[in-house]
Amino acid sequence: MKIFKMLTKSAICLVVSTGILSFSANAQKSQKLTDPEIASVAVTANQIDIDYAKIAIKKSKNQQVIDFAKTMEKDHGAVINQAVALVTKLGVTPKDNATSQSLNAQAVKERKALNSKSGKAFDKAYVDNEVAYHTAVINAVENVLIPDATNKELHDLLVSAVPLFKAHLEHAKMLQKSLEK
Amino acid sequence: MKNSVAVLGIRVCLLFPILFLFSCSSPNKKSAANQTGTKENIHKVDTVTINMMKFNPEILKVDKGDTVIWLNKGMVAHTVKSYRDNKFYSDTLAPGKTWTWVVTDSAAYYCTLHPATMMAKLLLNNK
Ligand SMILES: [Cu+2]
């Protein structure tokens, strides 16, 4: 949930700057993300979910949770591969930035929290975090990364990743329900 | 039935030179008629495209013996698996790959990797 708040907060800051939302009059005028920064955020956000998945594959005893985690590892890996292939083709070097850094900082805390749990408590924590994290990522991709992307191919790659992340979110919610039983 | 076909044949023969003057499509029409005459021996080949996390079309009307080709045009791997009776299971279908099944029955199916959202049906045409 912390990740959700943090991502949403940074998303909202950026969204305000791009003029999609305009409720905050005193919001700091933050800059639009450049394409190298967007590439960095995209790779970071996907890598974070792969790292969560690796913990789940190692710790969970629930086959449905393990299968879901394996899909996360595979799918987010595929997105990274395509993002890297694209930036290589475009001659763009992903550029570290405040958004990537705060994503990573939050992920460190979440991984610690996940590693401290086991059994059903772990499954619940992992799946709850997947629901929150995918919700936040979808929000950031739709409201910040896509509007800020300048290069058309980068824009299109982000657009095609949205249905994938939405499918992951629904899958995580389905697991959340089955864990309640 | 035979008589009417014969009559039709004669008419086509008589019409042919006239039609030929106006249109090149007459020979094509004739071969199309031949195809419908042997309909039961002809099986369709249909393609279900996987893109943007959806099977398209989501409902495909088929006949037994038809071939269905699933083409993964998406950015990640998917699978094609029938819900019941193990009618079919493609295993992992990487981006750019196809998987083929010859229809033996109607089937509701899904992607085992994305089971919450990716589902579709093959429905048999009414005979
Ligand atoms: Cu799938």
Side-chain angles (χ1 to χ4, degrees):
Chain A
M1 275 325 276
K2 274 182 204 158
I3 274 183
F4 177 73
K5 276 182 199 151
M6 185 276 300
L7 243 187
T8 305
K9 215 167 104 186
S10 61
I12 286 170
C13 279
L14 290 157
V15 164
V16 169
S17 76
T18 56
I20 293 164
L21 292 176
S22 53
F23 58 81
S24 178
N26 62 353
Q28 222 185 316
K29 203 187 176 222
S30 52
Q31 282 170 336
K32 207 176 126 158
L33 287 178
T34 63
D35 284 356
E37 287 169 340
I38 290 170
S40 164
V41 172
V43 170
T44 303
N46 282 287
Q47 187 58 50
I48 285 170
D49 205 53
I50 292 173
D51 294 340
Y52 293 150
K54 282 181 175 159
I55 298 172
I57 292 164
K58 211 162 75 181
K59 295 197 78 163
S60 182
K61 302 271 185 288
N62 181 317
Q63 195 55 49
Q64 283 183 302
V65 171
I66 294 167
D67 288 346
F68 170 80
K70 283 181 176 168
T71 296
M72 294 308 107
E73 189 182 31
K74 237 179 164 175
D75 286 1
H76 289 287
V79 177
I80 290 179
N81 289 344
Q82 283 167 55
V84 168
L86 178 61
V87 296
T88 306
K89 189 185 108 179
L90 298 173
V92 167
T93 309
K95 189 171 178 294
D96 196 22
N97 58 87
T99 308
S100 297
Q101 284 160 10
S102 62
L103 279 171
N104 272 328
Q106 196 51 51
V108 169
K109 286 183 200 162
E110 186 59 41
R111 284 199 296 271
K112 221 176 189 178
L114 288 175
N115 276 317
S116 73
K117 293 186 169 74
S118 59
K120 285 185 176 174
F122 170 82
D123 290 340
K124 186 180 169 1
Y126 171 65
V127 171
D128 285 352
N129 183 57
E130 284 299 290
V131 170
Y133 188 69
H134 278 86
T135 304
V137 168
I138 291 163
N139 194 14
V141 172
E142 284 188 321
N143 298 318
V144 181
L145 303 191
I146 290 173
D148 279 3
T150 311
N151 180 273
K152 192 185 177 294
E153 285 178 272
L154 180 62
H155 175 273
D156 292 351
L157 179 65
L158 293 165
V159 167
S160 59
V162 171
L164 176 68
F165 297 162
K166 286 186 172 171
H168 291 170
L169 175 60
E170 291 313 307
H171 192 170
K173 285 180 177 171
M174 187 178 93
L175 278 178
Q176 222 173 16
K177 269 189 197 145
S178 84
L179 292 178
E180 277 169 19
K181 283 170 199 163
Chain B
M1 199 47 200
K2 268 187 183 169
N3 278 343
S4 66
V5 170
V7 169
L8 189 76
I10 291 161
R11 280 183 187 165
V12 168
C13 286
L14 290 170
L15 280 170
F16 186 77
I18 302 160
L19 286 169
F20 190 73
L21 292 173
F22 295 100
S23 162
C24 292
S25 69
S26 290
N28 294 339
K29 271 182 191 163
K30 211 177 161 193
S31 70
N34 283 345
Q35 267 194 357
T36 50
T38 55
K39 190 186 171 184
E40 269 137 51
N41 301 324
I42 295 172
H43 296 304
K44 287 188 281 104
V45 177
D46 282 304
T47 302
V48 175
T49 304
I50 305 172
N51 201 13
M52 299 301 264
M53 304 304 285
K54 279 196 163 79
F55 293 107
N56 186 21
E58 280 185 345
I59 296 176
L60 179 66
K61 296 280 211 123
V62 290
D63 292 304
K64 284 184 189 179
D66 286 355
T67 298
V68 181
I69 301 169
W70 282 268
L71 167 62
N72 183 1
K73 287 179 99 174
M75 66 193 307
V76 299
H78 298 286
T79 70
V80 182
K81 188 177 196 288
S82 60
Y83 279 106
R84 287 163 198 270
D85 307 330
N86 287 319
K87 283 172 193 166
F88 55 83
Y89 178 39
S90 68
D91 215 329
T92 305
L93 190 58
K97 299 287 183 202
T98 60
W99 185 73
T100 300
W101 187 61
V102 177
V103 176
T104 55
D105 200 355
S106 62
Y109 65 93
Y110 70 114
C111 167
T112 57
L113 299 172
H114 310 105
T117 47
M118 293 185 69
M119 47 202 84
K121 278 176 189 165
L122 301 177
L123 292 181
L124 292 181
N125 287 312
N126 294 321
K127 286 266 164 108

